[in-house]
Amino acid sequence: MKSAVEEIRDILRREIAAEYRPGDLLPNERELAERFDVSRNTIRETMIHLEALTLIEKTKRGARVRAADFDMMFSEVTQFLDTSGRTFTDVLNFRRISETGAVPLMVCHVNDDILSRLRDANRQMVAALTAAEAAEADYRFHLGLVEASGNNVLIHLYRVMSVPLRYYLEVGKSHQHDTETARAQHAEIIAALALRDEIALYGAMNRHFQHSGGVLADWLSAREDGGAALSLWPVQRQH
């Protein structure tokens, strides 16, 4: 059962999201205490909760609504990531869903600066001396694709998840052949994006994620001493 503080906090969270803009002031403690029929101490504790969630900040004029802090919200996601085969699979499919889903936005908003950064990251991935360095360059390549979408929520999510994403991207980076294949597929993605060709971009990205899925399945199978490779992405059945 929720406490009074938790109930009031949740009500105010919904109201802040629906009715307030950054910079707006909330009603003062007395007004809120009367509205919810609780003590002012209960309201003060509620304000502490809302401040900890970065939804408000205290000022001399009272509690003021803050701009949403996506980094703090999304950082909660990373605590649930581990090294299980299921999590590796989920991370790959998360990347596939979000990146291919953003293709229409990428072709609309990509610019020469992003294309240049994509080419640099692709070159650096192959030139890297360690798997960690290659994974860092690979992460920057895919972050560049996300940045091309212009979707700030997706961009923030990728940045907050940079550490676990780089960790998972290390899979396959110890094999030069797989890295070379990824480089060639990245080049196809860049070419399609430079032409703003949505269909070609979909095709190039899907081929890349199919390759990544195969590399991951082989790696997981080897890690688990020859266990059956996972089915990472549904294959369309022939009718």
Side-chain angles (χ1 to χ4, degrees), residues 135-149:
E136 166 65 25
D138 198 0
Y139 165 75
R140 285 191 282 103
F141 176 86
H142 286 275
L143 175 61
L145 291 177
V146 169
E147 289 174 336
S149 75

Side-chain angles (χ1 to χ4, degrees), residues 15 33 60 70 82-83 90 94 100 103-105 125 129 147 150 152 161 176 207 214 217 232:
E15 291 182 355
K60 292 181 179 180
F70 291 111
D82 54 34
T83 61
D90 285 350
F94 155 74
T100 57
V103 161
L105 293 173
M125 183 182 71
L129 298 178
E147 289 174 336
N152 286 327
M161 291 182 63
Q176 188 63 27
R207 285 190 293 276
L232 296 166

Side-chain angles (χ1 to χ4, degrees), residues 21 38-39 41 53 58 62-63 70 115 118 172 177 196 208 221:
R21 293 184 177 182
V38 295
S39 70
N41 283 337
L53 292 169
K58 294 178 181 178
F70 291 111
L115 289 170
L118 290 174
H177 173 73
R196 278 67 171 175
H208 180 53
S221 178

Side-chain angles (χ1 to χ4, degrees), residues 39-230:
S39 70
R40 294 180 67 170
N41 283 337
T42 299
I43 296 301
R44 290 192 189 101
E45 188 175 349
T46 303
M47 294 297 107
I48 291 172
H49 282 226
L50 293 176
E51 188 175 22
L53 292 169
T54 70
L55 294 175
I56 65 169
E57 57 188 352
K58 294 178 181 178
T59 71
K60 292 181 179 180
R61 297 175 59 197
R64 181 169 61 194
V65 174
R66 293 184 55 180
D69 186 345
F70 291 111
D71 285 0
M72 180 175 181
M73 288 186 285
F74 288 134
S75 65
E76 296 297 316
V77 174
T78 62
Q79 67 179 302
F80 299 107
L81 302 180
D82 54 34
T83 61
S84 68
R86 173 60 185 271
T87 298
F88 273 94
T89 303
D90 285 350
V91 169
L92 175 62
N93 287 341
F94 155 74
R95 292 174 51 229
R96 183 172 190 160
I97 292 166
S98 56
E99 291 182 35
T100 57
V103 161
L105 293 173
M106 293 176 188
V107 298
C108 287
H109 301 301
V110 68
N111 56 47
D112 290 341
D113 176 63
I114 289 175
L115 289 170
S116 178
R117 285 191 280 122
L118 290 174
R119 294 185 181 102
D120 286 343
N122 202 26
R123 284 193 294 267
Q124 291 164 10
M125 183 182 71
V126 176
L129 298 178
T130 67
E133 290 175 355
E136 166 65 25
D138 198 0
Y139 165 75
R140 285 191 282 103
F141 176 86
H142 286 275
L143 175 61
L145 291 177
V146 169
E147 289 174 336
S149 75
N151 186 299
N152 286 327
V153 174
L154 187 57
I155 293 168
H156 276 292
L157 179 54
Y158 256 67
R159 288 176 176 164
V160 168
M161 291 182 63
S162 63
V163 172
L165 284 177
R166 286 196 296 264
Y167 175 77
Y168 296 119
L169 283 167
E170 284 193 34
V171 172
K173 293 299 186 294
S174 59
H175 299 287
Q176 188 63 27
H177 173 73
D178 291 331
T179 303
E180 283 289 349
T181 299
R183 182 208 60 78
Q185 292 175 340
H186 284 181
E188 291 180 2
I189 291 170
I190 294 169
L193 192 54
L195 293 172
R196 278 67 171 175
D197 187 331
E198 185 173 327
I199 294 175
L201 184 55
Y202 269 124
M205 292 185 69
N206 278 320
R207 285 190 293 276
H208 180 53
F209 281 113
Q210 282 298 114
H211 166 73
S212 298
V215 171
L216 176 57
D218 290 344
W219 182 84
L220 288 172
S221 178
R223 189 183 72 167
E224 295 168 10
D225 296 325
L230 298 180

